[in-house]
Amino acid sequence: MNSKVTAQLGKALRTVVRELRRFAYTSPIPRVRGEKPGRRPRLGLALGGGFARGLAHIGVLKVLVENRIVIDALAGTSSGSIVAAAYASGCTIEEMASAARHTRWSSFARWTLPRLGFATNERMESLLSKTLRCRSFERLKLPLAIVAADIASGEEVIFREGDLMLPLRASCSFPGLFVPIEHGGRMLIDGAIVAGVPVSALPDVDVVVAAHVQCNALRRRPTSLFEIVGESFRITQNLNQSSWRDHCDLSIEVDLPDFRWDDFGRADDLIAAGVVAARKALPALRNLLQERAAEFATLEPRHAPQPSFAYPPPRTSP
């Protein structure tokens, strides 16, 4: 079965599940203040990895916030998990952009003896403590899932509760570069190994949006171990894209052909690329939300399911 047929079947099944759930609930749902009567489609946003290139996700969020697109749930893997956590904690777009501009390799990494990795990301906890507005899932303003990978079993490990710091470090532990994170008897590495864009980690929502950072192949021969590992990583992710593309309603594609994995000094350019990609996808996203809203309008309010969260997006700084 080709990927196009699989994607169509996946969307059809999600529609059936949504209809069944609507009739399974009877409680009317509370509206966000100022929202018009009727149920607003709940949107889940999944942010993929990309190391420094993941800073482009800030630009994606910037466009959604400016256009009053409400995000009801987030999932993140690798560098996308940090951006997702910052937004879910209540950080404004400008606060996130400012933190990105001041981030360098030494802000979160320290070289170590190369046994299980050439560096440790222990410093990330200090960086995150200064950036995030809380340290636990329970205090977030939006539901969040952080994805890591179990290097022994190859399983997806999803964090939804407890302390934020260890899951974020685990999700960003790029194999070969960073020492894996030990937790609960497991050795955890970068979540992008098993979930390039973690759409499957989102809770039950009506519209699933993926933000994907596209990294092109090197235009020259690799000159370091890290470039070899990075290229292997990219090839694996490209081959496994159907695992998440078949389960999302819309993908925001951020094209970054001329950025390196460690281009932290180009934060503004990366954010700008995210803005371009999100603006390009905005008409399709609006149409999708309008279609879902029209479907809900044909149903009686008592049939609408109760959402677990319905917060308006954080406001950007003036």
Side-chain angles (χ1 to χ4, degrees):
M1 185 178 295
N2 61 44
S3 59
K4 184 176 180 180
V5 173
T6 302
Q8 292 173 342
L9 287 174
K11 289 185 178 181
L13 287 173
R14 287 200 301 277
T15 300
V16 171
V17 170
R18 278 197 301 269
E19 295 300 322
L20 289 173
R21 281 174 175 152
R22 287 189 193 116
F23 285 96
Y25 292 83
T26 57
S27 302
I29 102 172
R31 300 195 305 272
V32 175
R33 185 172 58 186
E35 191 176 14
K36 295 181 179 180
R39 182 151 99 72
R40 172 181 58 77
R42 292 166 298 166
L43 186 149
L45 177 65
L47 305 181
F51 218 81
R53 291 170 289 209
L55 296 177
H57 292 314
I58 299 174
V60 172
L61 287 169
K62 177 180 172 65
V63 172
L64 299 184
V65 169
E66 289 177 344
N67 287 274
R68 302 182 66 82
I69 303 296
V70 180
I71 299 169
D72 296 282
L74 289 149
T77 193
S78 196
S79 54
S81 69
I82 295 178
V83 176
Y87 186 81
S89 76
C91 290
T92 66
I93 299 301
E94 184 50 45
E95 286 172 341
M96 295 164 65
S98 177
R101 294 184 191 107
H102 292 89
T103 298
R104 296 294 184 270
W105 167 263
S106 60
S107 303
F108 58 86
R110 176 176 59 82
W111 296 111
T112 187
L113 294 176
R115 187 171 71 88
L116 297 177
F118 283 88
T120 172
N121 61 11
E122 290 176 352
R123 292 178 179 174
M124 184 178 290
E125 183 166 345
S126 176
L127 175 65
L128 293 172
S129 296
K130 297 174 183 176
T131 305
L132 305 185
R133 293 192 175 183
C134 60
R135 290 180 58 96
S136 69
F137 283 88
E138 289 75 14
R139 296 187 62 189
L140 294 171
K141 294 187 175 182
L142 290 171
L144 170 69
I146 295 174
V147 178
D150 184 328
I151 196 170
S153 66
E155 294 176 337
E156 184 179 75
V157 181
I158 303 176
F159 293 89
R160 305 183 194 275
E161 59 184 22
D163 185 73
L164 280 165
M165 301 304 164
L166 185 142
L168 288 170
R169 286 183 56 203
S171 187
C172 295
S173 292
F174 191 90
L177 176 59
F178 287 118
V179 176
I181 301 297
E182 300 276 355
H183 176 70
R186 287 179 157 184
M187 185 177 287
L188 305 179
I189 58 173
D190 197 307
I193 288 287
V194 291
V197 185
V199 296
S200 62
L202 288 167
D204 181 38
V205 290
D206 304 303
V207 176
V208 174
V209 177
H212 175 232
V213 173
Q214 299 187 74
C215 305
N216 294 342
L218 287 174
R219 299 175 183 175
R220 52 175 173 74
R221 290 170 59 88
T223 58
S224 71
L225 170 64
F226 303 129
E227 289 186 342
I228 290 289
V229 174
E231 285 302 285
S232 301
F233 205 68
R234 179 189 60 78
I235 292 169
T236 299
Q237 287 185 300
N238 285 345
L239 291 174
N240 294 328
Q241 287 190 42
S242 62
S243 65
W244 60 266
R245 287 192 184 276
D246 293 345
H247 297 89
C248 70
D249 298 297
L250 177 70
S251 177
I252 299 175
E253 302 289 335
V254 186
D255 189 17
L256 300 173
D258 300 316
F259 290 87
R260 291 167 49 90
W261 65 277
D262 59 348
D263 268 340
F264 291 99
R266 301 178 65 187
D268 284 325
D269 293 332
L270 288 162
I271 293 171
V275 167
V276 170
R279 285 178 177 165
K280 183 178 179 180
L282 192 60
L285 177 56
R286 281 178 168 153
N287 288 339
L288 187 58
L289 291 171
Q290 289 172 0
E291 289 173 4
R292 293 288 189 272
E295 292 174 7
F296 300 153
T298 64
L299 300 172
E300 294 181 9
R302 65 186 181 86
H303 290 146
Q306 179 97 9
S308 55
F309 287 78
Y311 289 94
R315 295 171 57 190
T316 53
S317 299

